[in-house]
Amino acid sequence: MVYYQDTYEKNRSALSDYAWWLYGQLPSFEELSEESRQLDEELYKPTKINTKPFFRDLSKPLLVKNEYNSYHFGYLVDNVRASEDFGADNHIYMYYDSQEEFCRLLQVIDITPYLTEKKIVFLIGAEELVEHYPLDFKREYGICYEIMGSKPVRVDEINRLILRISKYYSGNIFCSGILDWHKNLLTIKNFGLTGISYLYEKLFKGHTVNEVYELLLNNESSHVKGEFDALFCPWGWNRTSGEMMHVPSFDDFFEELRKMFPEDYHPLEDEWLKGMFLSYSVALGKDVNQRIAPALVFESHPHTVEITDITKNNALFKKFKYFRRLSIIRRNTMIAASMLETNSIGIHTYYKGGVAVREGSYFPAVSYVCAADWQEAPGLFYSMPNYVNEGSEALDYTAMVRFEDLKLEPKATLEAVLDFLDMEWDDGMLKTTANGSSESMLIHGNLIKDFDPAPVLKKREKMLSPYDYYRMELLMGDMMVPWGYKPQYYTDGKAYSKEEIIAMFEKPFKFEEFFFTVTQFKKGREEREKMMKIVRERVKHPSACVSPDGRKLVPIPWLKPKAEYMKGKLYE
């Protein structure tokens, strides 16, 4: 009880001098009623992550009712911009039903760290809520925040990181285009600055912004400059794709970046990352001066870079107080079909006598989508796992959204995504953009038409036959079930022995009709054997939820479309 008394008296003393405590001196600990001392300690137990969204409706200053989680206090204070910076009343109004309820809180949670910036206004009782939410600061205190004007977002205000990493060909660019121009997100298309650690070590470390500017101007041919210049290339991360997009000028970007730090300051790696994302967005014309400090979206494409640690324990990611990881999943067989139809996996194209010649093998596409998360799939693209170990803390901050849901039910799906990310709705999410420019979505010569459902509804049997799909779905078994995917070809439920399944995969695939050269046939034999190794492992251990060494694996939670916004039936 002594501990409770010390905490209470510390809070009581701090509130007596606090600008936005409107109720005079609270009773001493000895004067508290018996009811005020009845504590349910479970109610005040802090979490390691924000467990509910706070920022979905920002039409008025934030109102939070009966909050008992100390983690949430920190989350709110760290991310809600000060009224003096926003240029309008932007206080956090913390409401409690009664003084007894509030006094119980003061015995358990030390609120003094959250009072320093004077962002919180406390309201006690229903009548006070009606009278003082929101406060008229100009009339009551002679403070006019509007006259102060909106101040540019500072690097130290950026505390939230959203990591986006997914399987290849699962809709990465599509998802990136949806998040691209959200007013509360800092983004760089396409997958910009994924090599930030390399750039920091080779270029930024120990230098000021002006020094880096001069180094880049005077070094025309270095690999480091090439990595950096990709940010200002209108063809994006893949210069051969024909993708055109809006980019800021090199000088405009650096003009904004210089404003982020003192002239003689040597930023650290996370400060470079935050400063560059912020400068890039501002140089493009995005208005990031919102009620909530923007979150940084760090996108890593599995084809361009491998991040060995995609947890919040990554040394760079740990510099952000608040971390979310969002992945997009797609029906595995459609991933394979897309890869095959665009010749994007295992195939090398060169020109001989003006004629395109393709060398390589298509088998990695089958291996890629059939391999369980516990399998080693040689030569395949790195990707975000769909399963994690049971009890993993990643389950607290990771979620999966389906490509098909985004295409067919965008509003319902994005409402669920924004709940998870704790973001306000933005109508701009209902169209895909690249750095804010809608005409930029030209990928591999194909115009991406926002939420065109064709990629979901189209049958893809050019490279894979119905029998190919049948045996792939049979082998995958329960692998895709947690995200609502039902078999489309293996619908008879027929049971097969291990030997029969292996024999099925030894038969030719339709795409083998497109092998024309000796090199392709030779490579095909090598890649087929790799595929068969995966098949033989899968039939020995058919469940995707249990690894061969007995580890229980748990699927990443699925962000289901919110039922109240659904227009049709859920995709299966």
Side-chain angles (χ1 to χ4, degrees):
M1 188 61 74
V2 175
Y3 167 74
Y4 294 146
Q5 182 173 356
D6 290 348
T7 304
Y8 178 83
E9 291 296 350
K10 181 181 180 181
N11 287 328
R12 175 173 172 262
S13 175
L15 286 172
S16 67
D17 296 324
Y18 185 62
W20 311 129
W21 173 251
L22 313 178
Y23 306 105
Q25 188 70 274
L26 285 165
S28 67
F29 185 79
E30 290 79 6
E31 294 171 332
L32 289 177
S33 66
E34 191 62 35
E35 182 184 0
S36 297
R37 298 189 193 190
Q38 294 175 0
L39 304 176
D40 177 2
E41 293 195 26
E42 284 298 312
L43 184 64
Y44 304 98
K45 191 179 251 184
T47 57
K48 295 181 180 179
I49 195 166
N50 53 303
T51 57
K52 58 185 177 183
F54 291 95
F55 306 146
R56 292 303 318 276
D57 182 5
L58 299 173
S59 56
K60 294 194 294 184
L62 199 62
L63 175 63
V64 180
K65 295 185 177 181
N66 299 314
E67 182 55 60
Y68 309 109
N69 187 335
S70 60
Y71 183 94
H72 288 163
F73 271 80
Y75 174 76
L76 291 166
V77 170
D78 285 339
N79 290 294
V80 175
R81 301 195 72 210
S83 299
E84 294 85 351
D85 292 332
F86 178 60
D89 176 17
N90 200 39
H91 290 85
I92 306 161
Y93 288 79
M94 304 288 282
Y95 166 81
Y96 293 87
D97 288 330
S98 66
Q99 181 172 291
E100 289 77 17
E101 193 66 41
F102 186 64
C103 288
R104 282 195 285 269
L105 170 82
L106 298 183
Q107 297 171 64
V108 184
I109 297 177
D110 178 6
I111 67 170
T112 57
Y114 314 121
L115 304 181
T116 307
E117 297 182 64
K118 297 182 173 56
K119 291 183 178 181
I120 299 176
V121 174
F122 293 100
L123 298 176
I124 310 297
E127 290 183 7
E128 293 293 309
L129 180 63
V130 172
E131 184 175 349
H132 291 125
Y133 174 73
L135 281 171
D136 188 333
F137 282 90
K138 186 174 181 180
R139 186 186 67 194
E140 299 287 337
Y141 304 101
I143 300 173
C144 182
Y145 293 112
E146 287 75 9
I147 290 178
M148 298 179 187
S150 178
K151 297 181 178 65
V153 175
R154 302 183 307 276
V155 166
D156 65 282
E157 292 184 88
I158 302 169
N159 292 305
R160 288 197 290 173
L161 177 73
I162 299 167
L163 174 63
R164 273 256 310 108
I165 183 167
S166 305
K167 281 186 179 294
Y168 193 56
Y169 253 83
S170 58
N172 280 293
I173 293 176
F174 173 56
C175 187
S176 176
I178 293 171
L179 300 177
D180 174 65
W181 209 243
H182 190 289
K183 60 191 176 186
N184 218 215
L185 294 175
L186 302 178
T187 61
I188 296 179
K189 287 282 294 182
N190 270 314
F191 313 101
L193 286 179
T194 52
I196 179 63
S197 294
Y198 172 80
L199 287 170
Y200 179 70
E201 290 297 327
K202 298 294 184 181
L203 178 63
F204 303 149
K205 193 173 183 179
H207 291 295
T208 67
V209 172
N210 276 327
E211 288 170 346
V212 168
Y213 178 79
E214 293 298 328
L215 285 168
L216 288 168
L217 282 184
N218 298 321
N219 195 341
E220 291 296 327
S221 59
S222 74
H223 177 66
V224 175
K225 179 170 170 51
E227 284 280 318
F228 193 83
D229 280 352
L231 299 176
F232 310 100
C233 174
W235 292 277
W237 65 276
N238 182 351
R239 298 186 182 208
T240 63
S241 69
E243 179 187 358
M244 298 292 291
M245 65 180 175
H246 178 45
V247 293
S249 75
F250 182 83
D251 286 326
D252 286 348
F253 168 78
F254 267 95
E255 183 180 342
E256 296 300 333
L257 190 57
R258 289 186 186 97
K259 300 174 186 176
M260 303 293 163
F261 307 105
E263 188 174 348
D264 59 349
Y265 184 67
H266 300 155
L268 300 174
E269 182 181 356
D270 65 301
E271 293 173 324
W272 276 107
L273 181 68
K274 295 174 183 179
M276 291 174 72
F277 264 82
L278 184 53
S279 301
Y280 200 88
S281 292
V282 174
L284 282 169
K286 181 186 280 190
D287 181 9
V288 297
N289 293 336
Q290 308 296 327
R291 289 188 180 275
I292 308 302
L296 191 154
V297 181
F298 188 86
E299 296 186 304
S300 177
H301 194 285
H303 186 42
T304 57
V305 67
E306 178 172 334
I307 299 177
T308 55
D309 186 356
I310 55 172
T311 73
K312 68 178 182 180
N313 292 319
N314 178 297
L316 176 59
F317 300 160
K318 283 175 76 171
K319 301 292 179 66
F320 292 82
K321 286 187 178 181
Y322 308 101
F323 182 74
R324 284 284 199 245
R325 193 170 70 185
L326 178 67
S327 186
I328 184 169
I329 192 171
R330 185 182 184 185
R331 183 181 288 278
N332 269 12
T333 50
M334 291 299 101
I335 291 177
S338 295
M339 288 177 170
L340 293 167
E341 290 183 11
T342 56
N343 301 303
S344 63
I345 183 167
I347 300 298
H348 170 65
T349 303
Y350 66 93
Y351 289 86
K352 187 174 182 180
V355 179
V357 179
R358 293 188 177 93
E359 300 287 6
S361 168
Y362 291 104
F363 283 106
V366 179
S367 301
Y368 181 67
V369 300
C370 289
D373 277 8
W374 47 260
Q375 286 183 292
E376 293 278 341
L380 302 184
F381 297 113
Y382 176 74
S383 63
M384 166 76 189
N386 295 338
Y387 289 82
V388 295
N389 290 333
E390 186 179 31
S392 170
E393 67 170 7
L395 293 167
D396 293 332
Y397 57 74
T398 309
M400 199 82 76
V401 60
R402 297 197 312 180
F403 172 78
E404 293 84 1
D405 293 338
L406 285 171
K407 282 286 186 180
L408 301 176
E409 293 286 351
K411 172 70 174 173
T413 306
L414 290 172
E415 289 286 354
V417 170
L418 292 174
D419 277 352
F420 173 69
L421 298 180
D422 197 6
M423 292 283 171
E424 188 179 18
W425 175 261
D426 190 323
D427 287 339
M429 299 179 76
L430 292 178
K431 60 181 180 181
T432 55
T433 60
N435 285 347
S437 178
S438 59
E439 66 267 20
S440 298
M441 297 303 289
L442 184 66
I443 311 298
H444 298 297
N446 298 313
L447 184 64
I448 304 300
K449 300 176 182 177
D450 294 332
F451 294 87
D452 183 351
V456 176
L457 305 178
K458 177 184 175 184
K459 278 201 169 187
R460 297 178 179 268
E461 295 183 354
K462 176 184 176 183
M463 305 291 283
L464 291 167
S465 69
Y467 180 70
D468 294 337
Y469 284 118
Y470 182 94
R471 52 182 159 172
M472 289 166 67
E473 290 182 346
L474 169 65
L475 180 68
M476 284 188 286
D478 62 358
M479 192 161 74
M480 302 296 288
V481 171
W483 301 281
Y485 293 106
K486 291 184 178 179
Q488 293 180 324
Y489 291 84
Y490 173 57
T491 55
D492 57 12
K494 184 177 178 181
Y496 293 87
S497 68
K498 297 175 184 177
E499 294 74 20
E500 286 175 320
I501 296 174
I502 291 171
M504 291 170 74
F505 274 84
E506 287 173 340
K507 295 177 181 178
F509 280 77
K510 184 177 181 180
F511 57 71
E512 292 182 70
E513 298 173 7
F514 298 88
F515 290 177
F516 300 116
T517 68
V518 173
T519 308
Q520 280 184 310
F521 280 107
K522 181 181 177 182
K523 187 68 174 176
R525 285 194 297 270
E526 295 171 3
E527 297 295 344
R528 172 181 272 283
E529 184 48 43
K530 292 177 183 178
M531 178 197 74
M532 290 307 300
K533 180 182 178 182
I534 288 172
V535 171
R536 286 189 286 268
E537 287 178 347
R538 282 305 311 272
V539 296
K540 284 183 191 176
H541 306 283
S543 176
C545 300
V546 182
S547 67
D549 61 6
R551 285 181 297 117
K552 187 172 181 183
L553 302 176
V554 180
I556 297 295
W558 167 25
L559 297 175
K560 290 186 179 181
K562 298 185 79 168
E564 60 267 37
Y565 297 100
M566 289 277 289
K567 292 183 178 179
K569 188 180 177 183
L570 191 66
Y571 173 86
E572 295 180 332

